[in-house]
Amino acid sequence: DTQALWATLAADRPLLRAGDTLALAIDGGYDSGGAAAGTGLRMEGVVVARRVGDAYPDYAAFQFAESVADEADPFAGSTPPATLDGKGQARMALRLPVPLRGENMDADDPRAAFAFAELRLNAYLQPPGEAEVASPSVRVNYAAHPAYVGLRSDGWWLSTAADPKLQAVLLGADGTPRTGQVRVRIERVDDDDDEEGPAVGDPAEVLARCTLDAGADVAACPFRATEDG
């Protein structure tokens, strides 16, 4: 009779920093209590861009450096084990390339890389002649930088009669708030520029500068627009 097979996958950390190694542990067995020794193993996963504010909802109102929507194969270039060992286990070390780019990102553009992302990983076990059994998904955040600056405005309308009011936060890659000063530039972006700003090498027109204390209340940034909008 066919025995019910189970599979588990575990990662050694919830956050992977650029250049670090993620240790993965795969285990398989049968409901009867036996180990799934020698069972075929297949690893599958995807890297997807993630908003910092989605990972840390307390700061969802702030805008952080975002990655374009793209995907990557976290196992590309690696060789996962093909079977479980005699104890029904397999272990592997996963190390992602730096910078980590999506399948459609331009390798010649230094900005084209995941700033913050999520790894979604699964292990699949397949005894000979039987259907695959999948482990529950494991999700791990990926951070390309040690810290992230978030900025929000008190209102979205510039007035000729008042300075814009801004608030800044500084978060460690793990979402822990930090103190420090954040230098802000107000730049002109023409309607025909894309959302990422001017092309690489093109100077932006800086209209004003100010400094904010990370984690402090909303503060005015001295600047008067030439017209409302």
Side-chain angles (χ1 to χ4, degrees), residues 55-226:
Y56 307 119
D58 287 347
Y59 303 95
F62 292 84
Q63 295 294 318
F64 296 84
E66 306 293 353
S67 307
V68 297
D70 205 345
E71 297 182 355
D73 180 358
F75 296 107
S78 65
T79 306
T83 60
L84 300 183
D85 64 16
K87 296 180 179 180
Q89 300 175 341
R91 303 292 183 260
M92 75 168 293
L94 180 63
R95 189 178 180 90
L96 301 180
V98 179
L100 178 59
R101 291 192 170 94
E103 296 171 351
N104 301 305
M105 292 182 182
D106 184 358
D108 295 326
D109 185 348
R111 299 179 301 181
F114 289 110
F116 198 86
E118 183 180 63
L119 283 68
R120 301 172 184 174
L121 311 173
N122 285 94
Y124 293 85
L125 302 183
Q126 186 172 28
E130 299 182 21
E132 283 189 326
V133 173
S135 71
S137 296
V138 167
R139 299 195 175 199
V140 177
N141 286 327
Y142 168 85
H145 310 292
Y148 293 81
V149 173
L151 191 67
R152 78 171 188 90
S153 62
D154 186 11
W156 293 98
W157 189 266
L158 286 176
S159 170
T160 58
D163 296 332
K165 295 181 178 179
L166 306 174
Q167 185 178 24
V169 292
L170 179 62
L171 300 183
D174 62 353
T176 302
R178 299 182 179 181
T179 59
Q181 290 191 318
V182 175
R183 294 191 295 272
V184 177
R185 295 191 311 186
I186 298 178
E187 300 176 351
R188 180 187 301 278
V189 177
D190 295 330
D191 291 339
D192 57 352
D193 286 339
D194 60 32
E195 293 182 356
E196 294 182 359
V200 176
D202 291 348
E205 182 183 359
V206 180
L207 303 179
R209 290 183 171 88
C210 64
T211 300
L212 302 175
D213 291 323
D217 292 335
V218 172
C221 185
F223 169 71
R224 293 300 170 92
T226 56

